[in-house]
Amino acid sequence: MNSSNFNHKSILITGAAGFIGSCLAKRVCAENPDAKVIGFDNINDYYDTSPQVR
């Protein structure tokens, strides 16, 4: 990642509950302690999580 300076800024991260979004949020927070990170995600039941019997 570029060494961008996000201090004293608000950062909106969409998909924050996923792997990439959560890693990005952690990294922005670690590298820019004065930034405000807002995580947004649409957590829904899109995928069928029931066991598949074959």
Side-chain angles (χ1 to χ4, degrees):
M1 180 188 281
N2 286 342
S3 59
S4 299
N5 185 356
F6 295 125
N7 283 326
H8 305 292
K9 298 201 170 141
S10 297
I11 311 298
L12 174 65
I13 299 176
T14 59
F19 177 75
I20 295 171
S22 63
C23 290
L24 176 62
K26 286 180 187 178
R27 185 159 180 176
V28 170
C29 288
E31 293 181 2
N32 303 281
D34 293 328
K36 180 194 290 186
V37 176
I38 303 165
F40 181 80
D41 206 304
N42 179 17
I43 300 173
N44 61 25
D45 57 353
Y46 179 78
Y47 295 104
D48 183 13
T49 58
S50 61
Q52 300 296 316
V53 179
R54 294 180 186 206

